Amino acid sequence: MRILLLSILFLFGFTLSAQEATKAEKELYDLVMKYRKQNGLKEIPMSKSLTKVAQIHAKDLKENQPVKGNCNLHSWSSKGEWSACCYTSDHAKARCMWDKPRELTNYKGNGYEISHWSGGTATAEGSLAGWKKSKAHNNVILNKGIWDDEWKAIGIGMNGGYAVIWFGKEEDSEE
């Protein structure tokens, strides 16, 4: 019966709640929490709001490819119910990215994103391995450097070759 209902929803163009993590997203969450624990850090609660933002962004990256010219993986296309932005390596438009959780959900704080792209299908293991190799991304995961603060919410989205994680300093009231 459940398969029939899912098939009907798919045929009519509906999507399931963008707040429920997929199996791959849950796997990435578990790997990140295991890595944090190995480094003496506590678990971060999964956020429905930040997961929704992450899933929307991973889908936008895959379908609309806003990564063009100087725009990097934190960029958003103009093809959705959000403000478009070209995020550049000088972080001049960081506010555009930080505001996405408030723009798309009821989350009260800023969101901070790490992104990964794979030529094929992004995997939990491959994405985490890529972030661990990058000092800047690893610092976000492990609250080091300028990220020496406590994350109180996390959201994960994976779609095709893209994996993104959103971190927040405020608890999510949608939990």
Side-chain angles (χ1 to χ4, degrees), residues 105-117:
T105 70
N106 292 323
Y107 188 75
K108 303 295 184 207
N110 288 339
Y112 305 95
E113 179 188 53
I114 58 175
S115 310
H116 176 77
W117 177 77

Side-chain angles (χ1 to χ4, degrees), residues 88-145:
T88 54
S89 60
D90 64 2
H91 310 289
K93 296 183 181 177
R95 174 74 38 211
C96 177
M97 188 246 299
W98 297 341
D99 287 345
K100 286 297 181 263
R102 285 188 300 279
E103 187 178 337
L104 297 170
T105 70
N106 292 323
Y107 188 75
K108 303 295 184 207
N110 288 339
Y112 305 95
E113 179 188 53
I114 58 175
S115 310
H116 176 77
W117 177 77
S118 167
T121 299
T123 65
E125 297 86 3
S127 299
L128 181 57
W131 289 319
K132 287 166 74 171
K133 290 178 188 173
S134 162
K135 183 177 180 181
H137 294 98
N138 193 56
N139 283 350
V140 175
I141 295 169
L142 297 179
N143 298 108
K144 292 184 175 183

Side-chain angles (χ1 to χ4, degrees), residues 16-173:
L16 295 175
S17 171
Q19 296 154 19
E20 294 297 322
T22 66
K23 181 180 176 184
E25 291 163 351
K26 288 176 185 174
E27 181 182 352
L28 180 52
Y29 173 81
D30 290 341
L31 287 174
V32 170
M33 292 309 112
K34 180 180 177 184
Y35 180 54
R36 285 177 55 82
K37 185 177 181 180
Q38 290 169 348
N39 284 274
L41 299 168
K42 67 181 191 176
E43 190 170 295
I44 307 166
M46 184 70 98
S47 160
K48 288 183 180 181
S49 296
L50 293 182
T51 295
K52 180 178 180 178
V53 174
Q55 290 172 337
I56 290 170
H57 194 216
K59 183 177 181 182
D60 182 47
L61 287 167
K62 179 185 177 207
E63 293 180 0
N64 302 313
Q65 300 177 348
V67 181
K68 294 181 175 109
N70 292 328
C71 305
N72 66 29
L73 287 173
H74 301 303
S75 300
W76 289 71
S77 77
S78 61
K79 299 176 181 174
E81 295 182 20
W82 53 77
S83 59
C85 73
C86 173
Y87 194 103
T88 54
S89 60
D90 64 2
H91 310 289
K93 296 183 181 177
R95 174 74 38 211
C96 177
M97 188 246 299
W98 297 341
D99 287 345
K100 286 297 181 263
R102 285 188 300 279
E103 187 178 337
L104 297 170
T105 70
N106 292 323
Y107 188 75
K108 303 295 184 207
N110 288 339
Y112 305 95
E113 179 188 53
I114 58 175
S115 310
H116 176 77
W117 177 77
S118 167
T121 299
T123 65
E125 297 86 3
S127 299
L128 181 57
W131 289 319
K132 287 166 74 171
K133 290 178 188 173
S134 162
K135 183 177 180 181
H137 294 98
N138 193 56
N139 283 350
V140 175
I141 295 169
L142 297 179
N143 298 108
K144 292 184 175 183
I146 64 169
W147 305 105
D148 184 19
D149 205 344
E150 179 182 355
W151 298 127
K152 295 185 179 173
I154 188 173
I156 297 175
M158 297 176 77
N159 197 317
Y162 299 92
V164 298
I165 299 180
W166 284 76
F167 296 88
K169 296 179 181 179
E170 288 77 21
E171 293 179 5
D172 186 357
S173 61

